[in-house]
Amino acid sequence: MNIAKNMETIFVAALVVVSATSFATASAPAPRLAPTVAVQAGADANMTVVTVSAKRLSAAEKALLKG
């Protein structure tokens, strides 16, 4: 079967399929999302708190660490 002879038929068939698909999906309602619930984070009595007490490195000390 020579595809070049039937190219117009193939194009029209593809056009019909695309048109039918676009009409079928155009009437579909948009999905509804559930409303978001705001959650407020509070301080937990069992929360572990870490305190770091150290001096910051100076520029000279940072340069020595980089090598």
Side-chain angles (χ1 to χ4, degrees), residues 7-34:
M7 200 56 138
E8 183 180 357
T9 307
I10 293 170
F11 176 75
V12 171
L15 189 64
V16 167
V17 169
V18 169
S19 297
T21 304
S22 66
F23 281 120
T25 58
S27 64
R32 294 185 180 166
L33 300 176

